[in-house]
Amino acid sequence: MSDDSRPSPPAARAAARTAAVIPAAGRGVRLGPGAPKALRALGGTPMLIHAVRAMAASRAVSLVVVVAPPDGAAEVKSLLDAHALPERTDFLVVPGGQSRQESVKLGLDALPPGHDIVLVHDAARPLVPVDTVDAVIEAVREGAPAVVPALPLADTVKQVEPARTPGEPEPVVATPERALLRAVQTPQGFDRATLVRAHETVTGEVTDDAGMVEQLGLTVVAVPGHEEAFKVTRPLDLVLAEAVLARRRLNDGF
Ligand code: C5P
């Protein structure tokens, strides 16, 4: 790339190599006490390994960068060494930061040149199917600077005035039209230069990377997400994830 601050032209992107950054440095306090969330087992295998395999399952992904808990990079490295992973994919482990945003930035900083499409994928979404990963990459290749997998909402959403004390009644201030809303998942896909620029220029807390690209004034597009790409956040999500894995084993015969 001659100029790191400009999106690469779509023609170049069509042939671009893809890297995936997996922020896995969170503690996962909402899941209850125990090991960092990404290191907890699902079907006997750490959640992070499932997430790494989900990214490496895409033939387009040639590098996976795992952002480990700040003091856990060595542990994560040996974890990757101990599990079977595709040989055509390279793996890197870097220590993360205090916020998800900081962890993603540290992952981006570690990317070698030559990968002009970047996916950012939560370790906490271990079961995303490869078709969803490929659909995101395809939309970036076709020219979108930022792509999110998204699903329509089952619940109606209310905007409230948050209570000062948890559990207190909260006044409802608005009801956005449900048909216009989407729940956004990962992997989110980016033209690399655009994502780097977003992380260099946007300050303030954001909950996803595409939100930073929106703040640059660029158009983010949504492609269909998948119900199995849900985020493992609370104890009940672990039960659901185990059930999805059990169903896959039955269907695949292993
Ligand atoms: O906390 P939340 O579920 O939103 O975290 C989403 C992802 O960001 C998780 O995979 C988590 O490990 C990661 N994260 C991180 N560094 C932090 C906080 C969260 O890599 N400091």
Side-chain angles (χ1 to χ4, degrees), residues 23-207:
R27 294 234 38 105
V29 283
R30 287 171 290 183
L31 210 51
K37 176 158 73 174
L39 305 185
R40 307 231 191 157
L42 271 187
T45 302
M47 206 175 323
L48 172 63
I49 298 295
H50 288 286
V52 168
R53 284 178 176 156
M55 294 302 102
S58 167
R59 301 199 68 82
V61 173
S62 50
L63 170 68
V64 176
V65 179
V66 176
V67 188
D71 55 356
E75 189 185 349
V76 166
K77 263 192 199 116
S78 35
L79 206 62
L80 292 186
D81 289 340
H83 289 83
L85 297 168
E87 282 191 6
R88 64 185 153 75
T89 316
D90 291 327
F91 300 93
L92 268 178
V93 179
V94 297
Q98 292 311 308
S99 66
R100 182 185 182 284
Q101 213 167 331
E102 202 185 321
S103 294
V104 172
K105 170 88 167 65
L106 290 164
L108 282 178
D109 289 347
L111 281 182
H115 298 85
D116 288 342
I117 295 177
V118 179
L119 302 178
V120 181
H121 181 61
D122 290 334
R125 297 181 190 272
L127 302 179
V128 59
V130 68
D131 287 354
T132 308
V133 181
D134 284 336
V136 169
I137 296 169
E138 197 47 41
V140 182
R141 283 191 167 154
E142 281 169 5
V147 179
V148 295
L151 288 179
L153 298 183
D155 295 324
T156 293
V157 171
K158 302 279 184 200
Q159 185 183 339
V160 299
E161 220 167 81
R164 289 209 188 92
T165 324
E168 292 264 303
E170 300 176 312
V172 170
V173 295
T175 304
E177 189 183 337
R178 188 173 65 187
L180 299 180
L181 300 175
R182 299 287 181 270
V184 169
Q185 306 176 319
T186 73
Q188 301 188 347
F190 302 90
D191 165 67
R192 175 182 178 166
T194 302
L195 185 60
V196 167
R197 184 154 69 94
H199 273 270
E200 278 167 357
T201 52
V202 175
T203 51
E205 209 43 47
V206 290
T207 50

Side-chain angles (χ1 to χ4, degrees), residues 42-43 50 127 228 238-254:
L42 271 187
H50 288 286
L127 302 179
E228 291 180 5
L238 282 174
V239 178
L240 182 59
E242 293 286 358
V244 170
L245 277 178
R247 189 179 63 183
R248 282 187 189 175
R249 283 199 191 98
L250 264 182
N251 290 343
D252 299 349
F254 61 86

